Amino acid sequence: QSLLTQPPSVSAAPGQKVTISCSGSSSNIENNYVSWYQRLPGTAPKVLIYDNDKRPSGTPDRFSGSKSGTSATLGITGLQTGDEADYFCGTWDSSLSAVVFGGGTKLTVL
Amino acid sequence: QVQLQESGPGLVKPSETLSLTCTVSGGSISSHYWSWIRQPPGKGLEWIGYMFNSGSTYIKHSLKSRVTISTDTSKNQFSLKLSSVTAADTAVYYCARHTGGDGFRGVYFDYWGQGALVTVSS
């Protein structure tokens, strides 16, 4: 059971927008920074978002991150078939003194 | 470009020790923090612990009694040993570089290996 809760799956049509939620608590999301990762089939995970809403160089601006209270959200606009992947959120948990992750969300672009 | 590659046996017997090595290229392991992360089948990612400063380590509390992380700076590698394994330790194991600011509040992983599947079975 992951400490951060994500929907197991989301889907949308090409060109549409999708959001993926990540729900936590005051010991993790609310008081620390959230990162988001994309794992394309057969590849290493890649960071998409860090510090809640910052994009590393190379992350398209179709990807955005936000945080409010104990929840964070990854948004993807202009969906492409190449966006089909597993998406994970992660953050530090101050009570556990450990990094914690969500269970992952599988995105299907119909 | 930093690249990481996990290596080690894909099958380990119950009660034995799982050993994996992460080889880093394109960057020195003497700088940055380096972590091990795993994902059991059908479950989420679980962070195991990290190594920094060519030898100092921090292991997640629940695994502390079974985990050792070590380094070989001459080979630019760091390793994971997990003792007394059970079927619950079956997972894809990733090594990753972690970075971020504000202590660990801003921790994130900017480079990952492809992952190595380790199955615990007799």
Side-chain angles (χ1 to χ4, degrees):
Chain A
Q1 192 84 353
S2 302
L3 277 178
L4 305 182
T5 302
Q6 297 180 236
S9 63
V10 296
S11 62
Q16 296 299 303
K17 173 183 177 177
V18 71
T19 60
I20 298 173
S21 61
C22 176
S23 177
S25 69
S26 58
S27 67
N28 43 64
I29 288 179
E30 187 168 36
N31 291 294
N32 297 297
Y33 296 94
V34 178
S35 52
W36 288 91
Y37 305 88
Q38 176 193 58
R39 186 177 62 200
L40 294 165
T43 70
K46 168 188 160 184
V47 60
L48 288 176
I49 299 288
Y50 68 98
D51 286 359
N52 303 328
D53 58 9
K54 294 184 174 59
R55 284 186 300 273
S57 59
T59 297
D61 59 7
R62 300 187 297 108
F63 294 88
S64 63
S66 63
K67 189 183 90 168
S68 178
T70 59
S71 292
T73 302
L74 174 70
I76 312 173
T77 59
L79 277 171
Q80 303 172 1
T81 55
D83 296 331
E84 286 202 335
D86 293 324
Y87 293 85
F88 296 89
C89 56
T91 188
W92 182 253
D93 189 290
S94 305
S95 295
L96 297 174
S97 292
V99 178
V100 292
F101 292 99
T105 299
K106 182 175 180 59
L107 169 64
T108 301
V109 181
L110 302 167
Chain B
Q1 177 79 346
V2 176
Q3 293 185 309
L4 296 85
Q5 180 67 57
E6 305 88 352
S7 59
L11 181 64
V12 181
K13 290 182 168 54
S15 80
E16 295 189 346
T17 296
L18 177 160
S19 295
L20 290 171
T21 295
C22 182
T23 301
V24 178
S25 57
S28 170
I29 63 166
S30 298
S31 60
H32 292 279
Y33 291 68
W34 305 90
S35 277
W36 286 100
I37 297 162
R38 68 180 180 178
Q39 184 173 26
K43 297 187 178 180
L45 294 167
E46 179 186 18
W47 177 72
I48 296 170
Y50 66 75
M51 178 217 80
F52 73 104
N53 199 22
S54 299
S56 301
T57 61
Y58 179 86
I59 311 300
K60 177 180 175 179
H61 180 72
S62 60
L63 293 171
K64 197 168 186 174
S65 63
R66 297 197 294 134
V67 168
T68 302
I69 297 177
S70 60
T71 181
D72 185 338
T73 53
S74 67
K75 295 181 180 178
N76 220 36
Q77 295 175 334
F78 64 106
S79 298
L80 170 72
K81 289 189 187 302
L82 176 63
S83 64
S84 304
V85 297
T86 69
D89 295 309
T90 293
V92 174
Y93 286 77
Y94 296 96
C95 56
R97 190 179 84 169
H98 87 230
T99 187
D102 199 0
F104 286 98
R105 294 185 62 226
V107 64
Y108 68 98
F109 302 93
D110 58 353
Y111 294 99
W112 297 65
Q114 295 253 11
L117 174 62
V118 179
T119 302
V120 178
S121 176
S122 55

